Amino acid sequence: MNEPPSTIPIMPGSLGWLDDELQKLDRDHLRRFRREISPLPGARCLVDGREVINFASNDYLDLAGDPRVVAAAQRALAECGAGSRASALVCGRTRWHAALENRLARFERQAAAVLFPTGFAANLGTICALAGRNDHVFSDRLNHASLIDGCRLSGANTGIYEHDNLAGLRNLLNATPAGGRRWIVTDSVFSMDGDLAPLPALCDLAERFDATLLVDEAHATGVFGAEGRGVAELQGVEDHVAVRVGTLSKAVGALGGFVAGPQELIDWIWNRARPQMFSTALPPAVCAAAEQAIEIIEIEPDRRRRLLQLGALLRSRLAAAGIDAATQAIGPIVPVILRTAERAVEVAQELERAGFLVGAIRPPTVPRGTSRLRITLSSGHESSDVERLADALTAALKN
Ligand code: PMP
């Protein structure tokens, strides 16, 4: 651990209110503390030096530490150095960026793709590049913060519809005055619940009401669909989703966001999306890692099959123990709603003592009264890891 500086500056009096606010977070069990996590092979990690099985990461396909991915990054690092030296528009777009964009376009079966520094930046930048003050954006209440912030920052009139409530969305679309463009934005996998958006129905509504659908496949790329392109592939509507956003930080195991689509869309985003215009481009080594990971996603479909099997195993174990964990859903995100923040933290701590790292998700990440454990699976887990977690959780919930 880093040593603290020898002289600690005194906090200015004008920031004195922070202490009160932090104490309030403590009282409400909402304060987050920073810890040191060191990843280990086999979906394990050290938490402040102690080994646990990691059920909190988004490395769904166990690719972040794959030796082929690491070697690809090392080659680019040796050749090009640590950083990209400028934004992509200026001189930061190296051959690794170009190769990754081409690979993503081919993988997504689209004409072109453009990279962003993160998935958050991709959502924010894309919505703001496309929707403006005269437009209307419709957004699912449980959409990710980056979609929500993109809607806010775009200045468009934003209508929030209740989660998956298509009748509510139809009413909003019906009530919207003519003029301006209409956009529907949605996650394809809701990150804290793990459920899938009903994309065919959203496509129908978009077509009927002359709206354009933007789908964030952050948790779906590499995971869903026979070839791993996400929920649009799984649900057979790829040709009807106009704007598809993805991230390289989850199943791809690296970092960065992207949009894939027709050449004109990508050219427009390249010219207009501020987070990629005004941020330094991704490090080349990250691009090399992501490109190698995409290749593995293409040639090793067993990883996602195994991941979905582990999801089914955990859900059936929890259901057998009488634990309500969205058992109708599929995929690697398994929420266990515990309602209060205090209970979520308590059970997560109990699990950690038993050797399992699980996220305790609290407001503002989820609505008040819906604090939960968010269990995430990886193809690197063994079935026995999942069975042991189910047993430990069953025991912890009895306390
Ligand atoms: N979209 C969704 C649905 C997410 O869950 C996240 C990450 N939590 C993002 C976008 C942002 O992706 P990134 O971590 O690559 O910025």
Side-chain angles (χ1 to χ4, degrees):
M1 277 210 231
N2 294 335
E3 292 295 316
S6 52
T7 54
I8 298 175
I10 310 234
M11 190 168 69
S14 62
L15 290 178
W17 59 274
L18 286 173
D19 197 38
D20 292 343
E21 291 295 331
L22 287 169
Q23 282 183 30
K24 187 165 176 303
L25 288 180
D26 273 333
R27 279 197 302 278
D28 294 342
H29 306 277
L30 294 178
R31 182 157 176 182
R32 273 76 163 174
F33 295 96
R34 280 178 287 179
R35 307 206 294 171
E36 200 172 298
I37 313 286
S38 310
L40 296 172
R44 265 71 178 158
C45 63
L46 296 177
V47 179
D48 293 334
R50 186 167 159 265
E51 184 172 334
V52 292
I53 307 179
N54 192 348
F55 282 102
S57 109
N58 296 322
D59 186 15
Y60 300 124
L61 299 180
D62 198 26
L63 289 175
D66 185 284
R68 294 162 291 181
V69 171
V70 174
Q74 280 168 338
R75 285 193 296 274
L77 193 61
E79 215 178 299
C80 204
S84 63
R85 301 170 173 84
S87 71
L89 264 70
V90 177
C91 67
R93 187 173 181 269
T94 65
R95 72 176 169 84
W96 288 277
H97 297 80
L100 176 57
E101 286 178 343
N102 289 337
R103 178 114 218 172
L104 284 167
R106 261 187 292 136
F107 173 70
E108 294 283 351
R109 298 194 179 165
Q110 298 293 319
V114 59
L115 290 170
F116 282 80
T118 63
F120 198 114
N123 278 330
L124 196 80
T126 302
I127 296 176
C128 292
L130 294 174
R133 287 194 189 291
N134 297 325
D135 294 346
H136 302 273
V137 186
F138 303 94
S139 170
D140 188 293
R141 183 171 297 285
L142 294 190
N143 273 343
H144 186 256
S146 52
L147 291 174
I148 295 171
D149 289 0
C151 294
R152 288 179 181 154
L153 200 60
S154 73
N157 305 300
T158 302
I160 313 286
Y161 57 93
E162 294 306 321
H163 180 49
D164 278 355
N165 184 336
L166 298 168
L169 172 58
R170 187 182 301 110
N171 290 342
L172 284 176
L173 284 160
N174 249 331
T176 303
R181 298 190 184 91
R182 295 160 177 222
W183 304 88
I184 300 172
V185 301
T186 186
D187 286 341
S188 70
V189 177
F190 290 88
S191 53
M192 296 301 135
D193 294 79
D195 59 327
L196 311 189
L199 294 185
L202 290 171
C203 290
D204 281 350
L205 279 178
E207 273 156 35
R208 191 161 331 145
F209 287 93
D210 198 21
T212 307
L213 183 62
L214 180 152
V215 176
D216 174 15
E217 295 263 28
H219 292 273
T221 304
V223 172
F224 290 106
E227 297 184 10
R229 290 191 299 278
V231 178
E233 184 197 353
L234 178 75
Q235 297 182 347
V237 291
E238 286 182 279
D239 293 342
H240 300 270
V241 174
V243 186
R244 52 173 65 209
V245 188
T247 170
L248 304 168
S249 63
K250 304 192 193 299
V252 181
L255 178 72
F258 67 91
V259 180
Q263 190 67 52
E264 294 78 0
L265 172 70
I266 301 308
D267 287 349
W268 180 254
I269 288 172
W270 172 257
N271 280 278
R272 273 290 189 279
R274 292 164 65 87
Q276 73 88 27
M277 296 175 84
F278 297 109
S279 269
T280 298
L282 286 168
V286 167
C287 297
E291 194 194 344
Q292 176 62 67
I294 299 278
E295 184 177 323
I296 298 172
I297 286 172
E298 286 175 337
I299 61 179
E300 296 183 2
D302 271 355
R303 285 175 183 264
R304 58 183 161 275
R305 276 186 219 127
R306 184 176 157 65
L307 180 68
L308 298 184
Q309 280 163 6
L310 290 172
L313 172 64
L314 179 60
R315 287 184 172 88
S316 76
R317 286 293 173 124
L318 295 182
I323 299 169
D324 179 15
T327 40
Q328 300 308 313
I330 54 169
I333 303 173
V334 183
V336 179
I337 311 281
L338 297 174
R339 302 209 350 256
T340 67
E342 184 176 11
R343 183 74 176 138
V345 171
E346 189 179 83
V347 178
Q349 284 173 348
E350 176 81 33
L351 285 175
E352 197 173 314
R353 282 191 288 276
F356 306 94
L357 182 65
V358 169
I361 310 293
R362 295 158 276 163
T365 312
V366 291
R368 197 161 285 281
T370 70
S371 288
R372 66 195 65 185
L373 302 177
R374 175 178 183 265
I375 302 169
T376 48
L377 298 164
S378 160
S379 61
H381 287 129
E382 298 296 332
S383 304
S384 56
D385 295 337
V386 171
E387 287 161 355
R388 284 169 49 210
L389 171 71
D391 291 345
L393 179 55
T394 309
L397 289 176
K398 285 194 181 128
N399 291 336

